[in-house]
Amino acid sequence: MADGLATSVTLSLPEWLIAEISALPDALATPEEQMALVHRLADRNWREGGGGPFAAIVVDSATGALVSVGVNVVLDTGISAGHAEVMALALAQRRLGTWDLGDGRDLTLVVNWRPCVQCYGATLWSGVRRLVVAGEGPELEELTRFDEGPVVDDWAAQFEARGIAVTSDVLRDEALAVYRAYGDSTSTVYNARGTGPVESRP
Ligand SMILES: [Zn+2]
């Protein structure tokens, strides 16, 4: 009976992003430059159909050197954990050969909203020293209908207490524009398919 059990799992970036890797800048000096890339990747990601409108990057906190990029790959892979933050953190860990991104390094995770309940934990355990988000608050769920889960109200303070500095509201309006475009499009798509509202981040 157990012969059918899976024994490994692969989470790969989508082909369109892999094709773009060599054209990405080596470094993005400011949080605004970093977030602009995140927004661009997030917007393209949902339009390509592989996952939701979410992207994340890991950069060196001092130089802005790009360490990894991630987008939501849930639809592409059929793996519910394939959120942008998980991808960016795991690919940074793979590149650097360590599960602890804080081991002798000061790295920053840049993402286009406050992490969901899953990615909140993934970020806590990753070893990043800084988190930069475009925003927080109910707008993401209102515009996209994704459920972010029971993230604690003092989520930023909890990060800070564990040595992870949080910066919010970097290109916030631009984040909302991506979510608004996605929400408008899926309203049509999902109603047309009769599948009802999304219940967790695809
Ligand atoms: Zn997440």
Side-chain angles (χ1 to χ4, degrees), residues 2 5 16 24 31 42 52 60 72 82 90-91 94 103 117 119 138 150 167 197:
L5 296 182
W16 65 264
L24 293 175
D60 183 281
N72 182 294
L91 290 169
R94 174 59 59 85
D103 184 14
V117 66
C119 297
T167 302

Side-chain angles (χ1 to χ4, degrees), residues 54 72 80-86 111 114-120 122 147-148 201:
F54 305 104
N72 182 294
S80 64
H83 292 193
E85 298 95 318
V86 168
V111 58
R114 180 215 64 195
C116 78
V117 66
Q118 169 193 268
C119 297
Y120 182 55
D147 183 353
E148 295 295 288
R201 285 192 185 200

Side-chain angles (χ1 to χ4, degrees), residues 57-196:
I57 62 175
V58 173
V59 298
D60 183 281
S61 301
T63 66
L66 191 59
V67 178
S68 68
V69 298
V71 292
N72 182 294
V73 295
V74 170
L75 297 177
D76 255 353
T77 61
I79 304 294
S80 64
H83 292 193
E85 298 95 318
V86 168
M87 294 297 291
L89 293 168
L91 290 169
Q93 290 164 340
R94 174 59 59 85
R95 180 179 181 182
L96 298 174
T98 175
W99 50 267
D100 183 3
L101 296 176
D103 184 14
R105 297 181 178 86
D106 185 332
L107 300 181
T108 300
L109 176 67
V110 184
V111 58
N112 59 330
W113 209 250
R114 180 215 64 195
C116 78
V117 66
Q118 169 193 268
C119 297
Y120 182 55
T123 302
L124 275 179
W125 309 143
S126 69
V128 293
R129 293 290 179 227
R130 301 165 202 276
L131 171 67
V132 175
V133 299
E136 57 177 301
E139 291 93 335
L140 185 159
E141 292 185 334
E142 292 168 1
L143 291 168
T144 66
R145 297 181 296 167
F146 290 129
D147 183 353
E148 295 295 288
V151 177
V152 294
D153 289 340
D154 64 340
W155 64 274
Q158 293 291 337
F159 275 134
E160 299 276 358
R162 289 165 175 78
I164 301 171
V166 177
T167 302
S168 188
D169 294 340
V170 176
L171 302 187
R172 191 178 199 279
D173 289 345
E174 290 82 349
L176 296 179
V178 174
Y179 298 141
R180 190 170 292 114
Y182 174 83
D184 288 348
S185 73
T186 51
S187 295
T188 303
V189 172
Y190 277 82
N191 288 344
R193 290 178 180 170
T195 53

